[in-house]
């Protein structure tokens, strides 16, 4: 937007980074409240309805790689539908949790790129934790974990003779 005026006219809509919008939209201090924030489309009612219908088919990575984290941060703006956004985040996570854990437990030694492509970063971390648990269990089950060894202190400890104890 190029104008001769060096100031932004009132009522203009701008895309701002979160950190700047948070400072400009300080509702607690009326003197510092410079801007109003509009919630991104992926957190609006139409998307919440889609997620409520079947959250497992939605590509959360496409909606935002940090969908849950950013959604939780948006609640700090105290939007009118904050409780709906919060419950949508929780329901979406609950709906997808079982599928993520099932996939992580059933994908032993497989390429996980296809399975994790539609996951948010937090879900990817959860998937990795499930995979690590599965791999650790498989190692334990096949006895590939470290074997217990006798401590050097126990090996070097000389056994007392019964006769020495009686004297």
């Amino acid at each position: 937007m190029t104008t001769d005026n060096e100031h932004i006219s009132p009522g203009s809509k701008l895309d701002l980074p979160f950190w700047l919008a948070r400072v400009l939209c300080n509702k607690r201090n009326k003197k510092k409240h410079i801007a109003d924030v509009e919630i991104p489309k992926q957190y609006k009612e139409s998307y919440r309805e889609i997620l409520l219908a079947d959250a497992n088919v939605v590509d959360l990575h496409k909606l935002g790689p940090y969908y849950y984290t950013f959604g939780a941060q948006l609640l700090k703006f105290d939007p009118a539908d904050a409780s709906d956004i919060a419950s949508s985040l929780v329901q979406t996570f609950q709906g997808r949790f079982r599928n993520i854990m099932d996939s992580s437990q059933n994908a032993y030694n497989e390429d996980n790129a296809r399975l994790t492509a539609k996951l948010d970063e937090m879900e990817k971390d959860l998937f990795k934790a499930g995979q690590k648990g599965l791999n650790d269990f498989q190692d334990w089950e096949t006895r590939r974990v470290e074997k217990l060894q006798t401590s050097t202190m126990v090996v070097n400890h000389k056994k007392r003779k019964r006769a020495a104890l009686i004297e």
Side-chain angles (χ1 to χ4, degrees):
M1 178 171 111
T2 58
T3 63
D4 293 334
N5 191 351
E6 63 186 44
H7 300 288
I8 299 170
S9 59
S12 298
K13 287 190 176 190
L14 300 172
D15 288 336
L16 300 173
F18 174 79
W19 62 269
L20 182 58
R22 187 170 176 199
V23 172
L24 295 176
C25 183
N26 189 347
K27 290 186 178 181
R28 291 185 188 129
N29 187 346
K30 295 293 182 186
K31 291 180 182 177
K32 290 185 179 180
H33 182 78
I34 298 170
D36 291 320
V37 174
E38 185 177 316
I39 300 298
K41 66 180 180 178
Q42 60 265 38
Y43 299 98
K44 291 191 176 186
E45 187 175 357
S46 58
Y47 277 86
R48 291 195 308 261
E49 289 175 1
I50 293 168
L51 290 168
L52 183 62
D54 190 2
N56 287 312
V57 298
V58 177
D59 185 349
L60 281 190
H61 191 76
K62 187 176 180 183
L63 293 179
Y66 297 95
Y67 181 80
Y68 298 110
T69 306
F70 188 67
Q73 293 296 318
L74 282 176
L75 298 177
K76 292 179 180 177
F77 289 118
D78 198 26
D81 52 353
S83 63
D84 293 336
I85 293 171
S87 66
S88 174
L89 291 170
V90 170
Q91 288 173 349
T92 300
F93 183 75
Q94 287 175 339
R96 294 168 64 99
F97 177 79
R98 182 181 179 108
N99 191 26
I100 293 166
M101 291 310 292
D102 284 347
S103 296
S104 72
Q105 296 296 298
N106 293 320
Y108 188 64
N109 291 331
E110 289 184 27
D111 179 32
N112 299 327
R114 183 184 56 81
L115 296 172
T116 59
K118 293 184 177 185
L119 301 181
D120 154 273
E121 290 301 316
M122 186 173 71
E123 292 174 334
K124 286 181 182 179
D125 290 342
L126 181 64
F127 185 89
K128 288 175 190 171
Q131 284 275 283
K132 183 179 179 334
L134 175 65
N135 290 334
D136 289 348
F137 176 74
Q138 294 292 333
D139 288 347
W140 174 80
E141 193 173 48
T142 58
R143 297 182 183 257
R144 285 185 283 175
V145 293
E146 293 182 23
K147 305 237 184 229
L148 294 178
Q149 297 176 354
T150 308
S151 170
T152 55
M153 183 181 82
V154 173
V155 170
N156 294 334
H157 182 69
K158 296 183 179 179
K159 294 183 182 176
R160 296 180 188 166
K161 295 186 177 178
R162 185 173 170 97
L165 292 175
I166 297 174
E167 294 176 0

